[in-house]
Amino acid sequence: MRRKLLITGFEAFGGESINPSWEAVKALADRIGEYDLVKMQIPTVFGEAAQRVMEEADRIQPDVILCIGQARGRSMVTPEVVAINLREASIPDNAGNMPQNEPVCAGGPNAYFATAEIRRMTEAVKRCGIPCGLSYSAGAYVCNDLFYTLLHRYDGTDIKIGFIHVPCLPEQAGDGIPSLPLADLVRALEAGIEASFHKAEKTVC
Ligand code: PCA
């Protein structure tokens, strides 16, 4: 039986004109391995990003929700291990919000671990020769806000949640800022998605 993957990328933020997460998501094939993909661009706005994703997930009932975000300064594709119950922004989001030391969800647990197969994904991406490693902090900005909210909402359900931060694209990266070409980001996501549901080891590379 085929499975459904809801995959999201963010709008540009912080004065930039593109976001590599959406550039990569929109370039993905519509079918990867066991999955049919539903792609979605979401606003870089606290609360609203998660709201949009949950509305779509309630409508399409995916098996997995995989969210992608930009992490300026990182040199690797980084599946996130943990989401924390904290909003703390160093720049405004796209609606001008700049929360400081607020919970994502008042009364929620301090943290959740990813429920998607992030270790299998990481190994598959590395086998493609693309730099990839687990990250133990998704920050406290909109990406973490989305990741935490989804893990909280779908805790104890069959819907698996993952988040992957990706480096800047070469055209965004200034002096000394690491980047990866779009083709590598797309290949990394395809390999990760394919590997995330497999009885036998296999990669798209
Ligand atoms: N990265 C930001 C939010 C949107 C994005 O692509 C983050 O890491 O929180």
Side-chain angles (χ1 to χ4, degrees), residues 10 13 19 21 44 69-70 141-144 165:
F10 279 100
F13 68 104
N19 189 317
S21 66
T44 304
Q70 161 182 322
Y141 193 53
V142 179
C143 289
N144 175 74
H165 264 123

Side-chain angles (χ1 to χ4, degrees), residues 27-105:
L28 289 171
D30 292 324
R31 292 164 68 103
I32 298 172
E34 308 275 343
Y35 291 102
D36 292 327
L37 273 61
V38 175
K39 305 169 193 173
M40 193 179 174
Q41 188 184 26
I42 53 173
T44 304
V45 176
F46 281 98
E48 197 182 326
Q51 199 52 46
R52 296 268 192 96
V53 176
M54 293 187 301
E55 279 165 19
E56 184 67 359
D58 288 347
R59 202 175 67 78
I60 69 167
Q61 295 293 312
D63 298 286
V64 179
I65 306 175
L66 185 60
C67 302
I68 316 300
Q70 161 182 322
R72 172 168 281 273
R74 286 199 190 163
S75 55
M76 298 196 297
V77 173
T78 46
E80 297 291 349
V81 172
V82 61
I84 59 173
N85 192 10
L86 178 69
R87 289 178 165 177
E88 192 136 80
S90 56
I91 57 169
D93 70 10
N94 286 356
N97 304 303
M98 215 174 144
Q100 300 297 311
N101 196 20
E102 287 177 15
V104 175
C105 174

Side-chain angles (χ1 to χ4, degrees), residues 6 12 24 32 54 87 95 99 106 108 121 130 137 147 189 204:
L6 176 58
I32 298 172
M54 293 187 301
R87 289 178 165 177
M121 289 182 186
I130 296 167
S137 174
F147 190 28
L189 295 183
V204 292

Side-chain angles (χ1 to χ4, degrees), residues 122-198:
T122 303
E123 291 313 310
V125 177
K126 281 169 33 180
R127 278 199 298 273
C128 291
I130 296 167
C132 182
L134 292 177
S135 159
Y136 303 96
S137 174
Y141 193 53
V142 179
C143 289
N144 175 74
D145 191 67
L146 168 64
F147 190 28
Y148 182 94
T149 305
L150 296 179
L151 286 165
H152 187 59
R153 164 76 175 262
Y154 298 108
D155 187 33
T157 74
D158 290 338
I159 301 181
K160 303 297 179 206
I161 310 296
F163 194 101
I164 301 179
H165 264 123
V166 296
C168 285
L169 294 171
E171 59 266 41
Q172 293 176 281
D175 278 353
I177 303 291
S179 65
L180 283 177
L182 182 61
D184 283 3
L185 298 185
V186 172
R187 214 153 52 95
L189 295 183
E190 289 185 345
I193 291 166
E194 181 170 9
S196 71
F197 182 73
H198 254 287

